[in-house]
Amino acid sequence: MDYAKALAFLYPRTTTIKFGLDTTRALLDELGSPDRVFPSIHIGGTNGKGSVSNLVAAALAAAGWRVGLYTSPHLCSFRERIVVAGVPVSEAAVAMWTSRLEPEVRRLGATFFEATTAMALADFAARGVEIAVLEVGLGGRLDSTNVVTPLVSCVTNVSLDHQKYLGDTVEDIAREKAGIAKVDVPFVLGEQDPRRAIILAEEARLAIGREVPGGICDVVQVPAAASWEGPLGLVGKHQKRNAAVAAAVLDQLPAPYRPTRAEVTQGFDTATAPGRLDRRGRWLFDVAHNPDGMAALVEALATDPPEAPVNALVSILGDKPWAEMLVSLDRVIDRGILTLAPTAAERGWDTAWLSEWMARADRPPARAEWHLVADFEQALHEVQAGAGTILVTGSFHTVGDVMRRLGLEPV
């Protein structure tokens, strides 16, 4: 099996989302339990978990550790998901692990994420990882990454997203995200809203109590006003907050792994997070894919306006509250081009319905000039006309598809 055949085997399994840990554990058992070879840090949340994961990994690397980083989804290449010491997994390794797992994946009916989580942990062990940072895929309690017992777990925040899978209320979603808490493991909460922070802490205690009667949940609340004021490679006020959460995670590590303040500062200064206020010349990429993510992007652009005029290429998944997101984005752009990202064709918004919505007289009045250009290539061409800054946003698919077209792939 070569790399192309490996992806052809794995990708069709993305259409199935299955919650539970048994299949992932069975795959890991088949590989010799690689998850037990190294310690880990587990990071979940509605927004910011990718940035916090990258910041934590950067600080640990600055401290001299050989770090494994598992994140999702990727922007352009599957290899972005599994990184050791800054080096993405090789095509040959993806092919080898997929070939090794294929019989069990078929037998168990494993999903894409179950298979790739087992692959990531096996690759980390094979490449001599000394500590791993694992980003939760979806939810937490029954997410495949929850097979580990980490040194520290963290939930950055909780808000409404993925309601189809996690529930319709903040309480439902908090219950799933807080499920990564473990007995006697520091559980760092970055949520700034006092009510939601209380819900997360209570759900974590309840989850642990169900698993281990009398078990202690060591909740560490990051103060709502905490913000990293040192050098930071990531841009935006929200990234200062993410860095404060990452610093709190690092502070809770046991002494052998805990970086010094100087090492944290060095790591944060050099940290990168592709697709998060990621400037490439006059192109600006941000994966804002839900209302809170869009609000953070809008605040960043309002605080530090890029060169005008700002033209935005936008494609949002159909299950997101995109009307609310567009109203928010309208505040900070001059021209918006709505389109359909090719890799999101099966999950994207309905462009015919969108055309009708844009023509409605009762929709919110717009500040910017908006156009629907369903053809992606045409939209990519039109958004560049007269732009001082070209913003690409709405989903990982949107950012990844444009980066790929422009030859700006992270890997």
Side-chain angles (χ1 to χ4, degrees):
M1 182 179 292
D2 61 17
Y3 180 64
K5 290 180 179 177
L7 296 186
F9 173 74
L10 291 170
Y11 278 154
R13 287 163 172 77
T14 60
T15 58
T16 301
I17 293 179
K18 181 176 66 181
F19 291 113
L21 307 180
D22 291 346
T23 298
T24 306
R25 286 187 174 124
L27 294 174
L28 290 168
D29 288 345
E30 175 67 19
L31 295 169
S33 302
D35 52 305
R36 300 178 187 175
V37 174
F38 47 82
S40 60
I41 297 166
H42 200 194
I43 299 174
T46 303
N47 288 297
K49 61 183 183 290
S51 294
V52 171
S53 296
N54 277 279
L55 287 161
V56 169
L60 290 168
W65 295 103
R66 185 170 175 80
V67 184
L69 178 62
Y70 180 48
T71 59
S72 61
H74 62 265
L75 290 171
C76 301
S77 168
F78 175 87
R79 298 173 55 222
E80 298 166 33
R81 294 170 176 256
I82 305 170
V83 176
V84 175
V87 180
V89 63
S90 69
E91 293 186 0
V94 173
M96 183 272 291
W97 291 122
T98 305
S99 180
R100 175 75 175 77
L101 285 169
E102 179 183 9
E104 282 298 285
V105 168
R106 291 187 184 280
R107 185 180 72 83
L108 297 167
T111 66
F112 172 88
F113 198 69
E114 288 169 333
T116 56
T117 298
M119 180 190 303
L121 295 172
D123 190 70
F124 287 171
R127 287 203 272 168
V129 159
E130 296 171 313
I131 185 168
V133 181
L134 309 177
E135 179 191 359
V136 171
L138 180 63
R141 181 175 65 94
L142 299 175
D143 185 79
S144 294
T145 59
N146 205 28
V147 293
V148 300
T149 299
L151 299 176
V152 181
S153 56
C154 168
V155 172
T156 58
N157 52 43
V158 59
S159 61
L160 293 176
D161 198 11
H162 299 296
Q163 290 98 312
K164 178 180 177 181
Y165 304 105
L166 303 181
D168 293 325
T169 67
V170 168
E171 289 80 2
D172 290 336
I173 295 172
R175 187 173 304 116
E176 294 304 317
K177 294 191 182 299
I180 67 173
K182 302 290 190 300
V183 175
D184 296 329
V185 171
F187 181 53
V188 176
L189 291 181
E191 175 59 63
Q192 293 175 282
D193 181 272
R195 175 179 167 271
R196 294 183 179 188
I198 290 170
I199 293 170
L200 279 166
E202 182 59 26
E203 290 295 342
R205 293 187 180 103
L206 289 172
I208 285 178
R210 286 189 292 266
E211 291 290 326
V212 182
I216 301 299
C217 180
D218 182 13
V219 176
V220 178
Q221 177 66 55
V222 182
S227 177
W228 177 260
E229 298 304 331
L232 188 60
L234 309 186
V235 179
K237 181 181 176 181
H238 62 294
Q239 295 294 10
K240 293 184 177 182
R241 175 62 185 181
N242 286 333
V245 175
V249 170
L250 293 160
D251 283 344
Q252 294 303 313
L253 288 171
Y257 295 99
R258 191 184 312 132
T260 65
R261 177 74 178 192
E263 290 164 343
V264 172
T265 299
Q266 178 187 344
F268 285 7
D269 188 26
T270 59
T272 60
R276 280 80 165 182
L277 280 174
D278 183 355
R279 178 170 287 282
R280 313 288 183 93
R282 67 173 181 155
W283 294 86
L284 181 62
F285 299 93
D286 194 274
V287 296
H289 63 286
N290 58 32
D292 282 2
M294 187 62 75
L297 168 62
V298 168
E299 182 181 15
L301 296 181
T303 302
D304 185 16
E307 182 180 348
V310 179
N311 292 359
L313 183 72
V314 188
S315 176
I316 302 173
L317 297 183
D319 62 348
K320 304 295 182 181
W322 49 263
E324 173 187 348
M325 295 166 67
L326 292 178
V327 169
S328 177
L329 182 62
D330 181 73
R331 291 172 43 207
V332 292
I333 68 169
D334 300 294
R335 185 166 180 254
I337 302 294
L338 309 182
T339 190
L340 183 62
T343 59
E346 295 181 0
R347 299 178 60 199
W349 47 16
D350 183 333
T351 53
W353 194 97
L354 187 62
S355 179
E356 295 175 9
W357 180 80
M358 289 188 65
R360 285 170 51 178
D362 62 342
R363 71 177 175 88
R367 170 188 169 277
E369 174 190 342
W370 289 92
H371 301 277
L372 173 64
V373 183
D375 181 82
F376 182 75
E377 297 296 340
Q378 183 183 348
L380 186 57
H381 173 73
E382 290 192 16
V383 77
Q384 299 179 57
T389 299
I390 307 163
L391 172 67
V392 179
T393 191
S395 75
F396 281 82
H397 293 277
T398 312
V399 169
D401 286 347
V402 175
M403 281 186 163
R404 195 176 296 110
R405 292 295 197 283
L406 299 176
L408 300 174
E409 295 95 334
V411 173

